[in-house]
Amino acid sequence: MRNDNALPILKWLTFALEALMAIPLIGGTFVISYGYTPLFIAFVLHLVALVLAVRARRSPFGNAIGIVTSAIAWIPLIGWVMHTITAIILLLEAIAVTGRGYMRDDRRYDDRYNRM
């Protein structure tokens, strides 16, 4: 049995994590206070989302950038810029992935009832 909800959930989750880490001072404090563990967790989540996106034939670009961001985010200013860019890309991808499922269901509904 296939779970089609995993990719949108991971896209939204990785977006939220990247957006949190992109907030100046708050994101840096969050990362440093937990000993850079959030960067490792983000790396793993991006890797899992990347694999799911490739299998679902959806855009893996945001998560690929997220993997790079997690690897170089320990550099203060570059990390902030990369987290911001990654969060924006993941937001757009999460909206696209979530919206497609609902559109597909609406089309099936319309096609079924417009034939009569």
Side-chain angles (χ1 to χ4, degrees), residues 82-114:
M82 290 296 292
H83 283 305
T84 303
I85 292 169
T86 304
I88 292 168
I89 294 169
L90 284 169
L91 174 63
L92 296 174
E93 287 184 358
I95 290 169
V97 169
T98 304
R100 257 191 202 158
Y102 293 117
M103 282 178 46
R104 211 173 320 139
D105 291 340
D106 290 343
R107 284 190 193 135
R108 277 191 246 138
Y109 177 82
D110 290 341
D111 289 344
R112 188 178 323 133
Y113 292 102
N114 285 336

Side-chain angles (χ1 to χ4, degrees), residues 46-73:
H46 284 303
L47 192 61
V48 171
L50 179 84
V51 170
L52 289 177
V54 169
R55 284 187 176 177
R57 295 184 181 178
R58 302 292 176 109
S59 174
F61 183 69
N63 294 109
I65 297 293
I67 290 171
V68 173
T69 299
S70 297
I72 65 168

Side-chain angles (χ1 to χ4, degrees), residues 10-24 26-28 30-31 38-47 49 61-74 78-91 93:
L10 270 174
K11 289 282 187 181
W12 283 109
L13 182 65
T14 54
F15 157 71
L17 187 58
E18 290 294 335
L20 173 69
M21 290 189 280
I23 300 171
I26 295 172
F30 173 69
V31 170
L39 294 177
F40 177 72
I41 292 170
F43 180 85
V44 171
L45 289 174
H46 284 303
L47 192 61
F61 183 69
N63 294 109
I65 297 293
I67 290 171
V68 173
T69 299
S70 297
I72 65 168
W74 55 272
I78 294 173
W80 173 72
V81 171
M82 290 296 292
H83 283 305
T84 303
I85 292 169
T86 304
I88 292 168
I89 294 169
L90 284 169
L91 174 63
E93 287 184 358

